[in-house]
Amino acid sequence: MNSGARLVLLGRQGAGKGTQCVRLSRHFVVPHISTGDMLRAAVREGTELGLMAKAVIDAGNLVGDDIMIGLVAERIQADDARDRGYILDGFPRTVAQAVSLDEITASHPLDVVVDLVVPRDLVLSRLSARRVCRDCGANFQATGTEPSPWTCENCGGDVVQRDDDTPDAINKRLDLYETQTQPLIDFYGESGRLAQIDGVGSPDEVFARLTKAVEQRL
Ligand code: AP5
Ligand code: MG
Protein backbone atom coordinates (compact mmCIF):
# COMPACT_ATOMS: atom_id res chain seq x y z
CA MET A 1 0.00 0.00 0.00
CA ASN A 2 1.20 3.58 -0.65
CA SER A 3 2.08 5.77 2.31
CA GLY A 4 -0.80 8.24 2.02
CA ALA A 5 -0.70 11.95 1.20
CA ARG A 6 -1.60 15.39 2.56
CA LEU A 7 -3.29 17.24 -0.27
CA VAL A 8 -5.39 20.34 -0.88
CA LEU A 9 -7.48 20.71 -4.03
CA LEU A 10 -8.23 24.26 -5.13
CA GLY A 11 -10.36 25.19 -8.13
CA ARG A 12 -13.42 27.13 -9.14
CA GLN A 13 -16.85 25.88 -8.18
CA GLY A 14 -17.65 23.17 -10.71
CA ALA A 15 -13.98 22.54 -11.58
CA GLY A 16 -14.46 18.91 -10.54
CA LYS A 17 -12.91 18.94 -7.05
CA GLY A 18 -15.56 16.67 -5.54
CA THR A 19 -15.50 14.36 -8.58
CA GLN A 20 -11.72 13.97 -8.49
CA CYS A 21 -11.39 13.82 -4.68
CA VAL A 22 -13.54 10.68 -4.56
CA ARG A 23 -11.06 9.01 -6.93
CA LEU A 24 -7.95 10.44 -5.24
CA SER A 25 -9.21 9.29 -1.88
CA ARG A 26 -9.43 5.68 -3.15
CA HIS A 27 -6.07 5.93 -4.92
CA PHE A 28 -4.08 7.28 -1.96
CA VAL A 29 -6.27 5.53 0.67
CA VAL A 30 -6.85 8.72 2.65
CA PRO A 31 -10.11 10.40 3.74
CA HIS A 32 -11.78 12.93 1.43
CA ILE A 33 -12.59 15.91 3.64
CA SER A 34 -15.08 18.19 1.90
CA THR A 35 -16.15 21.19 3.97
CA GLY A 36 -19.19 21.63 1.70
CA ASP A 37 -20.25 18.01 2.39
CA MET A 38 -19.68 18.53 6.15
CA LEU A 39 -21.88 21.63 6.12
CA ARG A 40 -24.61 19.96 4.03
CA ALA A 41 -24.60 17.01 6.48
CA ALA A 42 -25.05 19.48 9.36
CA VAL A 43 -27.97 21.08 7.48
CA ARG A 44 -29.61 17.67 6.94
CA GLU A 45 -29.15 16.75 10.60
CA GLY A 46 -30.55 20.10 11.75
CA THR A 47 -27.60 20.81 14.09
CA GLU A 48 -26.92 24.31 15.38
CA LEU A 49 -24.19 24.68 12.75
CA GLY A 50 -26.54 23.45 10.03
CA LEU A 51 -29.30 25.86 10.99
CA MET A 52 -26.85 28.75 10.86
CA ALA A 53 -25.13 27.63 7.64
CA LYS A 54 -28.17 26.87 5.44
CA ALA A 55 -29.05 30.44 4.52
CA VAL A 56 -25.39 31.34 4.00
CA ILE A 57 -24.79 28.40 1.65
CA ASP A 58 -28.03 28.82 -0.31
CA ALA A 59 -27.17 32.48 -0.98
CA GLY A 60 -23.70 31.46 -2.24
CA ASN A 61 -21.88 33.24 0.60
CA LEU A 62 -19.01 31.93 2.73
CA VAL A 63 -19.42 30.58 6.26
CA GLY A 64 -17.17 32.42 8.79
CA ASP A 65 -13.46 31.59 8.93
CA ASP A 66 -13.41 30.76 12.65
CA ILE A 67 -16.17 28.16 12.28
CA MET A 68 -14.55 26.55 9.26
CA ILE A 69 -11.07 26.49 10.80
CA GLY A 70 -12.45 24.84 13.96
CA LEU A 71 -14.29 22.19 11.91
CA VAL A 72 -11.25 21.27 9.83
CA ALA A 73 -8.79 21.37 12.74
CA GLU A 74 -10.91 18.81 14.57
CA ARG A 75 -11.40 16.59 11.51
CA ILE A 76 -7.75 16.35 10.46
CA GLN A 77 -6.74 15.38 13.98
CA ALA A 78 -8.94 12.26 13.85
CA ASP A 79 -7.00 8.96 13.70
CA ASP A 80 -7.52 8.20 10.00
CA ALA A 81 -6.29 11.63 8.83
CA ARG A 82 -3.48 11.89 11.37
CA ASP A 83 -1.97 8.55 10.36
CA ARG A 84 -2.21 8.54 6.56
CA GLY A 85 -3.16 12.09 5.58
CA TYR A 86 -6.20 13.52 3.79
CA ILE A 87 -7.49 15.36 0.76
CA LEU A 88 -9.04 18.71 1.57
CA ASP A 89 -11.80 19.81 -0.84
CA GLY A 90 -13.21 23.33 -0.36
CA PHE A 91 -10.77 24.34 2.39
CA PRO A 92 -8.91 26.63 2.62
CA ARG A 93 -10.78 29.23 0.57
CA THR A 94 -9.54 32.44 2.20
CA VAL A 95 -6.03 33.55 3.09
CA ALA A 96 -6.97 33.50 6.80
CA GLN A 97 -7.97 29.81 6.44
CA ALA A 98 -4.71 29.01 4.63
CA VAL A 99 -2.60 30.68 7.32
CA SER A 100 -4.44 28.73 10.03
CA LEU A 101 -4.04 25.48 8.10
CA ASP A 102 -0.26 25.99 8.04
CA GLU A 103 -0.32 26.46 11.81
CA ILE A 104 -2.50 23.39 12.40
CA THR A 105 -0.33 21.20 10.13
CA ALA A 106 3.07 22.57 11.24
CA SER A 107 4.25 19.16 12.50
CA HIS A 108 3.04 17.30 9.34
CA PRO A 109 3.00 19.85 6.48
CA LEU A 110 1.00 19.59 3.26
CA ASP A 111 2.66 17.60 0.45
CA VAL A 112 1.13 19.55 -2.41
CA VAL A 113 -1.67 21.98 -3.23
CA VAL A 114 -3.33 21.32 -6.58
CA ASP A 115 -5.16 24.02 -8.51
CA LEU A 116 -7.64 22.41 -10.90
CA VAL A 117 -7.92 24.95 -13.71
CA VAL A 118 -11.21 25.17 -15.66
CA PRO A 119 -12.50 28.34 -17.39
CA ARG A 120 -15.55 30.13 -16.00
CA ASP A 121 -17.82 29.48 -19.01
CA LEU A 122 -17.23 25.73 -18.77
CA VAL A 123 -17.89 25.53 -15.00
CA LEU A 124 -21.11 27.48 -15.51
CA SER A 125 -22.46 24.85 -17.88
CA ARG A 126 -21.27 21.98 -15.64
CA LEU A 127 -22.96 23.49 -12.56
CA SER A 128 -26.27 24.17 -14.25
CA ALA A 129 -26.44 20.52 -15.35
CA ARG A 130 -25.17 19.09 -12.04
CA ARG A 131 -27.50 16.82 -10.05
CA VAL A 132 -26.52 15.14 -6.77
CA CYS A 133 -27.76 12.16 -4.80
CA ARG A 134 -29.32 13.40 -1.60
CA ASP A 135 -28.12 10.28 0.26
CA CYS A 136 -24.64 9.32 -0.98
CA GLY A 137 -23.65 12.65 -2.58
CA ALA A 138 -22.74 11.12 -5.98
CA ASN A 139 -22.58 13.67 -8.84
CA PHE A 140 -24.38 13.36 -12.16
CA GLN A 141 -24.79 15.53 -15.26
CA ALA A 142 -28.41 16.03 -16.41
CA THR A 143 -28.99 15.59 -20.13
CA GLY A 144 -32.76 16.20 -20.07
CA THR A 145 -33.63 12.57 -20.72
CA GLU A 146 -33.65 11.36 -17.10
CA PRO A 147 -36.72 9.82 -15.47
CA SER A 148 -38.60 11.88 -12.89
CA PRO A 149 -38.20 11.18 -10.02
CA TRP A 150 -34.54 10.28 -10.69
CA THR A 151 -33.03 7.64 -8.40
CA CYS A 152 -29.32 7.17 -7.76
CA GLU A 153 -27.72 4.22 -9.58
CA ASN A 154 -25.36 3.66 -6.59
CA CYS A 155 -27.71 3.74 -3.60
CA GLY A 156 -31.28 4.32 -4.80
CA GLY A 157 -31.48 7.80 -3.17
CA ASP A 158 -33.20 10.81 -4.73
CA VAL A 159 -31.11 12.67 -7.33
CA VAL A 160 -31.82 16.40 -7.11
CA GLN A 161 -30.38 19.83 -7.91
CA ARG A 162 -28.31 21.40 -5.08
CA ASP A 163 -30.07 24.34 -3.42
CA ASP A 164 -27.06 26.58 -4.21
CA ASP A 165 -26.95 25.62 -7.92
CA THR A 166 -29.32 28.47 -8.87
CA PRO A 167 -28.01 31.05 -11.40
CA ASP A 168 -27.78 33.80 -8.74
CA ALA A 169 -25.94 31.67 -6.18
CA ILE A 170 -23.61 30.20 -8.83
CA ASN A 171 -22.57 33.68 -9.98
CA LYS A 172 -22.11 34.84 -6.39
CA ARG A 173 -19.91 31.82 -5.59
CA LEU A 174 -17.79 32.34 -8.70
CA ASP A 175 -17.32 36.05 -7.88
CA LEU A 176 -16.30 35.16 -4.32
CA TYR A 177 -13.84 32.63 -5.72
CA GLU A 178 -12.07 35.40 -7.68
CA THR A 179 -11.82 37.76 -4.70
CA GLN A 180 -11.35 35.39 -1.75
CA THR A 181 -9.80 32.16 -3.05
CA GLN A 182 -7.76 33.17 -6.12
CA PRO A 183 -5.18 34.91 -3.84
CA LEU A 184 -4.30 31.43 -2.51
CA ILE A 185 -2.72 30.62 -5.88
CA ASP A 186 0.00 33.19 -5.11
CA PHE A 187 0.11 32.19 -1.43
CA TYR A 188 0.98 28.56 -2.28
CA GLY A 189 2.88 29.36 -5.50
CA GLU A 190 5.34 31.63 -3.71
CA SER A 191 6.14 28.91 -1.19
CA GLY A 192 6.70 26.30 -3.95
CA ARG A 193 3.78 24.07 -2.95
CA LEU A 194 1.47 24.60 -5.95
CA ALA A 195 0.78 22.31 -8.94
CA GLN A 196 -1.57 23.74 -11.59
CA ILE A 197 -3.44 21.03 -13.49
CA ASP A 198 -5.64 21.41 -16.55
CA GLY A 199 -9.15 20.32 -15.46
CA VAL A 200 -10.62 20.29 -18.98
CA GLY A 201 -11.16 16.83 -20.45
CA SER A 202 -12.87 13.64 -19.34
CA PRO A 203 -12.80 12.77 -15.61
CA ASP A 204 -10.39 9.89 -16.45
CA GLU A 205 -8.01 12.22 -18.30
CA VAL A 206 -8.04 14.76 -15.47
CA PHE A 207 -7.46 12.01 -12.88
CA ALA A 208 -4.42 10.72 -14.78
CA ARG A 209 -2.91 14.25 -14.82
CA LEU A 210 -3.62 14.69 -11.11
CA THR A 211 -2.09 11.42 -9.92
CA LYS A 212 1.01 11.98 -12.06
CA ALA A 213 1.54 15.50 -10.66
CA VAL A 214 0.94 14.45 -7.05
CA GLU A 215 3.12 11.32 -7.23
CA GLN A 216 5.99 13.37 -8.65
CA ARG A 217 5.92 15.46 -5.49
CA LEU A 218 5.45 12.78 -2.84
P1 AP5 B 1 -18.77 23.24 -1.78
O1 AP5 B 1 -19.61 22.06 -1.59
O2 AP5 B 1 -17.31 23.13 -1.62
O3 AP5 B 1 -19.17 23.82 -3.20
P2 AP5 B 1 -18.41 24.72 -4.24
O4 AP5 B 1 -17.22 25.41 -3.70
O5 AP5 B 1 -19.45 25.58 -4.82
O6 AP5 B 1 -17.79 23.71 -5.24
P3 AP5 B 1 -18.60 22.66 -6.05
O7 AP5 B 1 -18.92 21.48 -5.19
O8 AP5 B 1 -19.74 23.37 -6.71
O9 AP5 B 1 -17.57 22.26 -7.19
P4 AP5 B 1 -16.66 21.00 -7.44
O10 AP5 B 1 -15.35 21.51 -7.92
O11 AP5 B 1 -16.66 20.05 -6.29
O12 AP5 B 1 -17.36 20.33 -8.70
P5 AP5 B 1 -17.97 18.86 -8.94
O13 AP5 B 1 -16.93 17.80 -8.79
O14 AP5 B 1 -19.25 18.72 -8.18
O15 AP5 B 1 -19.25 24.43 -0.81
C1 AP5 B 1 -20.64 24.78 -0.71
C2 AP5 B 1 -20.80 25.98 0.19
O16 AP5 B 1 -20.38 25.65 1.54
C3 AP5 B 1 -19.96 27.22 -0.16
O17 AP5 B 1 -20.57 28.01 -1.17
C4 AP5 B 1 -19.91 27.93 1.20
O18 AP5 B 1 -21.12 28.58 1.49
C5 AP5 B 1 -19.76 26.78 2.18
N1 AP5 B 1 -18.35 26.45 2.44
C6 AP5 B 1 -17.71 25.28 2.13
N2 AP5 B 1 -16.43 25.32 2.49
C7 AP5 B 1 -16.22 26.56 3.03
C8 AP5 B 1 -15.06 27.21 3.57
N3 AP5 B 1 -13.87 26.60 3.61
N4 AP5 B 1 -15.22 28.48 4.03
C9 AP5 B 1 -16.42 29.10 4.00
N5 AP5 B 1 -17.56 28.54 3.50
C10 AP5 B 1 -17.44 27.26 3.03
O19 AP5 B 1 -18.30 18.96 -10.52
C11 AP5 B 1 -19.33 19.81 -10.97
C12 AP5 B 1 -20.13 19.09 -12.07
O20 AP5 B 1 -19.28 18.87 -13.19
C13 AP5 B 1 -20.68 17.72 -11.65
O21 AP5 B 1 -21.97 17.56 -12.17
C14 AP5 B 1 -19.70 16.72 -12.28
O22 AP5 B 1 -20.35 15.51 -12.61
C15 AP5 B 1 -19.23 17.48 -13.51
N6 AP5 B 1 -17.85 17.18 -13.86
C16 AP5 B 1 -16.80 17.05 -13.01
N7 AP5 B 1 -15.66 16.81 -13.70
C17 AP5 B 1 -16.00 16.81 -15.02
C18 AP5 B 1 -15.26 16.63 -16.23
N8 AP5 B 1 -13.93 16.37 -16.23
N9 AP5 B 1 -15.93 16.71 -17.40
C19 AP5 B 1 -17.27 16.96 -17.43
N10 AP5 B 1 -18.04 17.12 -16.31
C20 AP5 B 1 -17.40 17.05 -15.13
MG1 MG C 1 -17.81 19.93 -4.51
Side-chain angles (χ1 to χ4, degrees), residues 30-201:
V30 292
H32 167 202
I33 302 178
S34 157
T35 44
D37 287 349
M38 289 165 85
L39 291 170
R40 281 185 290 276
V43 170
R44 272 198 306 276
E45 288 157 15
T47 64
E48 199 180 323
L49 169 67
L51 293 173
M52 181 282 298
K54 177 154 176 51
V56 177
I57 296 172
D58 289 355
N61 285 316
L62 292 179
V63 174
D65 284 336
D66 290 350
I67 293 172
M68 299 311 302
I69 291 163
L71 261 187
V72 170
E74 189 181 335
R75 179 61 188 90
I76 64 178
Q77 279 154 21
D79 288 351
D80 56 348
R82 211 183 43 230
D83 294 345
R84 294 193 45 82
Y86 45 80
I87 306 173
L88 282 173
D89 163 8
F91 185 97
R93 63 175 93 198
T94 64
V95 171
Q97 293 180 13
V99 169
S100 291
L101 183 62
D102 278 348
E103 289 166 8
I104 300 162
T105 57
S107 58
H108 294 93
L110 300 173
D111 292 312
V112 56
V113 175
V114 176
D115 177 27
L116 202 50
V117 184
V118 178
R120 185 162 170 144
D121 57 344
L122 184 52
V123 298
L124 274 171
S125 71
R126 286 186 185 177
L127 288 177
S128 29
R130 174 168 61 186
R131 301 294 182 270
V132 294
C133 172
R134 218 194 282 276
D135 291 342
C136 72
N139 275 333
F140 303 96
Q141 287 291 106
T143 58
T145 57
E146 293 75 20
S148 176
W150 182 353
T151 48
C152 175
E153 64 197 33
N154 301 324
C155 75
D158 289 336
V159 176
V160 297
Q161 189 156 29
R162 253 169 59 172
D163 289 341
D164 61 346
D165 278 346
T166 60
D168 281 354
I170 289 173
N171 277 309
K172 181 72 182 284
R173 281 152 58 207
L174 287 169
D175 289 346
L176 274 175
Y177 184 82
E178 310 297 335
T179 59
Q180 302 294 310
T181 310
Q182 197 72 33
L184 298 186
I185 305 304
D186 288 341
F187 179 89
Y188 288 117
E190 283 161 8
S191 51
R193 292 179 284 176
L194 187 72
Q196 290 195 289
I197 304 296
D198 180 5
V200 180

